[in-house]
């Protein structure tokens, strides 16, 4: 199997009671997921609370995950940030550490022009030795690139694919068809089945942290042509995600991992801790579905 296909959890960050990164729990999470057959990990993405981490913490996580994984799985370093220079500096670290690729969300907040965003990606691709996976998540970044924008960027050999977190499946299918040698990853876990149909080679997602086996299973069933089987698993996944959306996705994911025997702690402020009622609701609705 191509190393850029399959199921990639976008890792969460466990925090200690003092609010520091809990290395031991991150190591346990990685082992737990490797056992389930994941292809690799997406490191320092939004799910890892990258934009809530201090620079030293982000660097620590790149190092720690590589140290834990070695060459057992494929590792993507999300280096995205608002500043091109800062993204490139994370890219250099990922290269030194032996990551397989870097990935970057479009620069956000300042409403950069499409030209500036393309230039940002080109400067990263030029400066960083590793291949680059674009991260498309318009609902969060506020940046909506068109098919033509992606097509122009993907002409660059250094840009090897897209992590595609959008419900625009029309554009996803057009991209997969136009660039059969690039790698496309489904982003919204709730539409993994749709992504497979449109042509993605895998997925990168946050809910994989605690239920990667369901996505590994969906991809296997899809390969065997068992579409009814894929739909059935997606239905269970979506019942779980609907519950997570009611309480807060990342806080809920951490709470579920805690119920499964981990110690992840809360998300960083301004995320609020989950209430007792929300935890009980998750325990009642989600645990029976895992
Ligand atoms: O890109 C993730 N997106 C974010 C992937 O975390 C912003 C997804 O895995 C979602 O968390 C998940 C739930 O909506 O699909």
């Amino acid at each position: 199997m191509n190393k850029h296909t399959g199921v990639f959890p976008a890792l969460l960050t466990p925090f200690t009671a003092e609010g520091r990164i809990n290395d031991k729990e991150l190591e346990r999470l990685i082992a737990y997921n490797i056992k389930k057959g994941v292809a690799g990990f997406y490191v320092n993405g939004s799910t890892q609370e990258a934009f809530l981490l201090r620079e030293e913490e982000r660097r620590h996580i790149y190092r720690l995950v590589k140290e834990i994984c070695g060459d057992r799985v494929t590792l993507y370093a999300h280096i995205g940030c608002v500043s091109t220079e800062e993204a490139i500096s994370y890219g250099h670290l990922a290269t030194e550490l032996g990551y397989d690729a870097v990935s970057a969300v479009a620069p956000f907040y300042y409403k950069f022009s499409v030209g500036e965003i393309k230039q940002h990606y080109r400067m990263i691709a030029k400066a960083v030795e590793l291949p680059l996976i674009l991260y498309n998540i318009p609902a969060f970044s506020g940046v909506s690139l068109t098919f033509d924008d992606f097509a122009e960027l993907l002409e660059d050999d250094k840009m090897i694919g897209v992590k595609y977190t959008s419900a625009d499946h029309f554009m996803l299918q057009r991209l997969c068809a136009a660039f059969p040698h690039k790698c496309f990853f489904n982003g919204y876990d709730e539409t993994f089945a749709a992504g497979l149909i449109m042509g993605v080679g895998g997925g990168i997602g946050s809910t994989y942290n605690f239920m990667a086996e369901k996505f590994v299973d969906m991809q296997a069933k899809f390969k065997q042509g068992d579409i009814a089987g894929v739909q059935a698993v997606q239905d269970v996944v979506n019942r779980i995600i609907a519950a997570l959306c009611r309480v807060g996705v990342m806080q809920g994911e951490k709470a579920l991992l805690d119920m499964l025997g981990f110690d992840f702690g809360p998300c960083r402020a301004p995320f609020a801790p989950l209430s007792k009622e929300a935890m009980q609701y998750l325990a009642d609705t989600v645990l029976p579905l895992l």
Side-chain angles (χ1 to χ4, degrees):
M1 203 165 72
N2 175 332
K3 76 172 176 179
H4 297 300
T5 60
V7 168
F8 291 73
L11 291 170
L12 286 157
T13 299
F15 291 112
T16 63
E18 297 74 41
R20 304 276 71 94
I21 294 166
N22 188 332
D23 294 3
K24 199 182 91 290
E25 286 302 289
L26 190 54
E27 180 163 9
R28 287 182 65 212
L29 180 71
I30 287 170
Y32 179 72
N33 275 281
I34 289 181
K35 251 189 254 152
K36 292 178 175 188
V38 303
F41 297 102
Y42 195 76
V43 182
N44 275 323
S46 12
T47 304
Q48 194 114 50
E49 299 178 56
F51 306 118
L52 296 168
L53 297 175
R54 284 178 287 121
E55 183 184 342
E56 257 326 297
E57 294 175 316
R58 194 159 163 177
R59 289 178 179 273
H60 171 72
I61 289 177
Y62 292 127
R63 290 193 195 96
L64 179 69
V65 174
K66 180 62 186 176
E67 203 178 290
I68 295 166
C69 294
D71 295 325
R72 290 184 290 166
V73 292
T74 303
L75 291 180
Y76 298 144
H78 176 259
I79 60 169
C81 36
V82 178
S83 144
T84 309
E85 187 187 331
E86 193 180 347
I88 289 172
S89 82
Y90 291 135
H92 289 322
L93 175 60
T95 308
E96 264 167 51
L97 291 171
Y99 273 69
D100 295 281
V102 295
S103 179
V105 71
F108 49 89
Y109 188 81
Y110 289 106
K111 309 249 176 271
F112 299 107
S113 69
V114 172
E116 286 166 330
I117 292 166
K118 285 182 186 162
Q119 187 58 14
H120 172 82
Y121 281 128
R122 289 203 182 97
M123 285 169 78
I124 292 175
K126 191 156 180 277
V128 176
E129 203 179 301
L130 293 174
L132 170 63
I133 297 168
L134 308 171
Y135 180 12
N136 180 44
I137 180 161
F140 279 57
S141 66
V143 175
S144 295
L145 298 181
T146 63
F147 173 88
D148 290 338
D149 295 328
F150 279 109
E152 196 185 312
L153 288 169
L154 290 171
E155 291 300 335
D156 184 328
D157 288 342
K158 286 288 289 292
M159 303 199 200
I160 60 165
V162 185
K163 169 178 176 344
Y164 191 94
T165 307
S166 157
D168 183 351
H169 290 103
F170 176 36
M171 180 156 88
L172 177 59
Q173 192 279 335
R174 295 319 301 146
L175 286 169
C176 293
F179 295 94
H181 302 299
K182 302 274 177 176
C183 42
F184 295 94
F185 297 94
N186 189 78
Y188 280 131
D189 309 352
E190 43 276 51
T191 62
F192 188 66
L196 289 172
I197 300 266
M198 293 308 169
V200 301
I204 298 171
S206 70
T207 67
Y208 303 1
N209 280 283
F210 67 91
M211 56 171 171
E213 67 282 3
K214 297 201 194 307
F215 295 89
V216 171
D217 186 30
M218 260 193 270
Q219 189 158 24
K221 286 187 160 74
F222 180 73
K223 279 188 186 145
Q224 291 154 11
D226 175 11
I227 300 300
V230 176
Q231 285 178 309
V233 181
Q234 185 76 69
D235 177 62
V236 174
V237 162
N238 287 3
R239 282 153 65 193
I240 295 169
I241 295 178
L244 282 172
C245 288
R246 292 177 76 137
V247 304
V249 172
M250 281 156 53
Q251 302 95 308
E253 290 166 347
K254 287 187 173 183
L256 284 169
L257 282 165
D258 286 354
M259 292 174 210
L260 295 171
F262 288 88
D263 181 11
F264 262 64
C267 292
R268 265 196 181 159
F271 281 119
L274 277 195
S275 65
K276 289 235 156 36
E277 295 72 42
M279 285 195 208
Q280 193 55 51
Y281 167 74
L282 281 182
D284 294 343
T285 49
V286 177
L287 290 184
L289 299 171
L290 291 179

